[in-house]
Amino acid sequence: MSIYSLEAGKKILSDKGFEVKDPWDIVDGFENLISNFCGSKYAVALDSCTNALFLSLKYKNINSTIIEIPSKTYLSVPQTILWSGNMPTFKDFDWSGFYRLGNTNIYDSAGRVAKNMFIQNSLMCLSFHLRKNIPIGKGGMILTDDLDTYNWMYKAVYEGRDRRQNHNDIDNLELLGWNMYMTPEQASYGIVLFDNYIKKGFFEDCTSSNKYKDLSKFLIFSESNIGNYL
C-alpha cells in the first residue's frame, strides 16, 4: 500500500477508532489527530500556513493596523500582512518554533508541532511544508478553541461551503470564501507522516530566527514601497 494513497490514511484512522465513510472523513480525522495532540478543541486544515495567517487576519477583521513581526522570518509573512490590508513592521528578536503577530492573538507556528502547545484563546497557524515537522509538501492548519471561529474557517477555506457539498447542489451562500482547502489525499499523507512523527517521540522546533535572512533590509519592504500596497 502506497503511503500516498487514501487507504494508507484510512487504515491508520480506522486503527485509532475513527469511522471513515467518505474521503472527507480523512480530512476530519487528520484535523482531530492534530488538535488532540496540540491541545486545541478544533482544527481546520487548509493549503498553507500563509493562507492560515491571511484567513486569521480576515476573520478577526484586522485591517489598517501596524503589525510587528520578527525581521528574520519567512518571506510570505510580511506579504500576507500587506495583502490583508495591514502594515508589517520589523523588529530584531530571536524566536524558535513560533511567534505572535504583533498585539493580535494570531501565532505563526510554522516551525512547531508539539504536545499541548496550543495557547488558549489564540489562532495558531501550522505549516506542513516540505521542510517542516510533518512534511506533506504543502499544507497548513488553524488551531482554535472557539466554535464560531471553527465554523467560519471550515467554510471560508472551501468557497464558503461545507466540504461535503457539491457546488451544483448549492443555491446560495452565506459566506464569501476562498479556494484554500486541503484535499483528502494530502490529509491522508499527513496522517501517515504524523503517525511516524508521534512514534519518533522527539518534537523539536524545525525553524527559528537564525534560519532566515533579515527582511527589513529588503527594498520591497521599505516604507516607501509598502505604501504602494495599501
Side-chain angles (χ1 to χ4, degrees):
M1 181 189 302
S2 171
I3 61 173
Y4 301 102
S5 70
L6 290 176
E7 290 301 316
K10 180 179 178 180
K11 183 180 186 308
I12 292 172
L13 289 176
S14 296
D15 290 344
K16 294 181 181 295
F18 289 90
E19 187 176 18
V20 180
K21 293 183 177 180
D22 70 59
W24 290 113
D25 290 336
I26 295 175
V27 181
D28 293 346
F30 187 35
E31 291 169 339
N32 272 279
L33 290 176
I34 296 293
S35 63
N36 289 338
F37 178 71
C38 293
S40 64
K41 289 183 180 179
Y42 311 102
V44 176
L46 69 167
D47 60 356
S48 71
C49 182
T50 296
N51 283 336
L53 293 171
F54 176 82
L55 288 183
S56 296
L57 289 164
K58 285 295 186 181
Y59 176 73
K60 300 299 293 185
N61 198 28
I62 298 171
N63 54 72
S64 301
T65 299
I66 296 175
I67 298 177
E68 185 179 271
I69 57 173
S71 56
K72 295 177 181 177
T73 187
Y74 189 56
L75 273 169
S76 72
V77 178
Q79 294 180 65
T80 297
I81 291 171
L82 279 165
W83 288 125
S84 68
N86 295 286
M87 172 83 75
T89 184
F90 299 103
K91 184 177 180 180
D92 184 15
F93 65 89
D94 293 332
W95 60 272
S96 179
F98 75 101
Y99 59 85
R100 185 178 176 185
L101 269 62
N103 293 321
T104 73
N105 68 336
I106 301 167
Y107 289 81
D108 177 359
S109 186
R112 178 175 296 180
V113 178
K115 185 70 174 174
N116 294 325
M117 72 174 200
F118 180 71
I119 297 170
Q120 190 175 4
N121 299 320
S122 74
L123 292 168
M124 296 194 77
C125 302
L126 312 184
S127 174
F128 305 130
H129 182 272
L130 191 61
R131 291 190 292 273
K132 300 302 191 297
N133 287 315
I134 303 172
I136 295 172
K138 188 172 177 63
M141 202 169 284
I142 302 169
L143 305 180
T144 179
D145 53 4
D146 181 72
L147 181 58
D148 290 337
T149 303
Y150 168 79
N151 288 334
W152 189 91
M153 294 290 182
Y154 177 88
K155 290 187 175 181
V157 302
Y158 204 176
E159 298 113 16
R161 58 180 164 131
D162 187 292
R163 60 178 58 140
R164 288 174 172 79
Q165 285 181 292
N166 187 299
H167 72 274
N168 289 325
D169 297 330
I170 298 174
D171 296 321
N172 203 355
L173 292 172
E174 297 179 356
L175 170 66
L176 191 66
W178 291 264
N179 191 308
M180 297 178 176
Y181 65 92
M182 176 180 285
T183 67
E185 291 80 5
Q186 290 171 310
S188 180
Y189 186 36
I191 289 167
V192 174
L193 293 171
F194 179 67
D195 194 52
N196 291 332
Y197 184 66
I198 295 300
K199 289 175 180 176
K200 182 180 68 173
F202 183 61
F203 314 123
E204 183 179 9
D205 291 345
C206 63
T207 57
S208 60
S209 52
N210 62 13
K211 294 188 177 182
Y212 294 101
K213 289 186 176 181
D214 188 343
L215 300 184
S216 67
K217 300 184 184 303
F218 284 39
L219 182 60
I220 196 170
F221 297 129
S222 66
E223 288 189 17
S224 58
N225 276 323
I226 281 178
N228 296 325
Y229 298 97
L230 298 175

